């Protein structure tokens, strides 16, 4: 600290400056090279879960058009009295009891969806779960139209 005060006092007393410098009144301004925005790392997105899978277990009773299973890829296949929706949803066509079986499938590889889902498995045996609905027995109290 004393060195700085002596240096400053020396420059004030002498008429010659210690350093020969040319001073210019230039002001440099630094602008931002990028937009200031949020961070660039990928933030987690809170997606709603889809809850795909079985909706009805084996042996349960279902109503007509009740959803049995939802899926993204063909994990489950429709059996008796079961419909197959555009998005892979399996639904009951009749009121009855659900029965799930494991059966061998033979996909038609000329179809695009079969090539997408079963590519490389042409000569292998493929087993898949099939949802079946066994309809409830109808009543046997029928009358002929002539007798009514």
């Amino acid at each position: 600290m004393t060195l700085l005060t002596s240096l400053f006092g020396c420059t004030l007393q002498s008429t010659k400056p210690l350093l020969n410098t040319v001073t210019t009144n230039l002001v440099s301004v630094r602008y931002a090279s990028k937009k200031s925005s949020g961070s660039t790392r990928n933030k987690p997105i809170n997606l709603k879960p889809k809850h795909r899978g079985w909706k009805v277990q084996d042996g349960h009773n279902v109503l007509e058009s009740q959803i049995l299973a939802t899926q993204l890829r063909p994990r489950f296949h429709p059996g008796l009295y079961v419909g197959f929706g555009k998005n892979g949803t399996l639904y009951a066509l009749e009121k009855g009891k659900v029965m799930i079986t494991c059966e061998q499938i033979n996909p038609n590889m000329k179809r695009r969806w079969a090539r997408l889902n079963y590519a490389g498995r042409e000569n292998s045996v493929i087993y898949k779960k099939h949802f079946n609905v066994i309809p409830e027995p109808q009543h046997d109290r029928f009358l002929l139209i002539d007798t009514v």
Side-chain angles (χ1 to χ4, degrees):
M1 186 75 177
T2 58
L3 181 64
L4 283 176
T5 54
S6 64
L7 183 63
F8 184 68
C10 183
T11 57
L12 288 178
Q13 292 172 359
S14 68
T15 57
K16 290 198 240 173
L18 291 175
L19 298 173
N20 293 329
T21 58
V22 178
T23 58
T24 57
N25 293 330
L26 293 177
V27 177
S28 62
V29 178
R30 184 173 174 198
Y31 293 103
S33 60
K34 292 182 182 176
K35 263 189 182 178
S36 89
S37 62
S39 65
T40 58
R41 81 183 161 100
N42 293 331
K43 295 181 181 177
I45 300 171
N46 293 329
L47 296 174
K48 292 181 181 177
K50 303 295 186 259
H51 301 293
R52 291 189 180 106
W54 294 24
K55 304 297 179 200
V56 178
Q57 298 294 325
D58 191 18
H60 287 174
N61 290 324
V62 293
L63 300 174
E64 185 179 337
S65 74
Q66 185 173 347
I67 294 176
L68 304 176
T70 57
Q71 57 192 346
L72 188 62
R73 304 250 185 261
R75 284 181 60 195
F76 314 115
H77 289 265
L80 297 172
Y81 298 105
V82 175
F84 189 77
K86 275 193 222 178
N87 58 356
T89 303
L90 298 179
Y91 57 93
L93 295 174
E94 293 285 329
K95 179 180 176 182
K97 193 174 197 176
V98 175
M99 189 172 87
I100 300 171
T101 59
C102 187
E103 300 174 18
Q104 180 180 351
I105 64 165
N106 186 15
N108 184 2
M109 290 306 205
K110 293 178 183 176
R111 301 257 181 200
R112 183 176 177 270
W113 72 270
R115 285 193 309 267
L116 281 173
N117 295 303
Y118 300 112
R121 299 172 71 180
E122 289 88 4
N123 298 326
S124 62
V125 179
I126 303 171
Y127 288 96
K128 290 288 182 177
K129 287 186 175 61
H130 284 70
F131 278 77
N132 302 296
V133 174
I134 309 301
E136 292 179 350
Q138 296 180 347
H139 61 83
D140 54 355
R141 298 180 300 256
F142 294 107
L143 296 175
L144 295 174
I145 295 175
D146 296 339
T147 59
V148 176

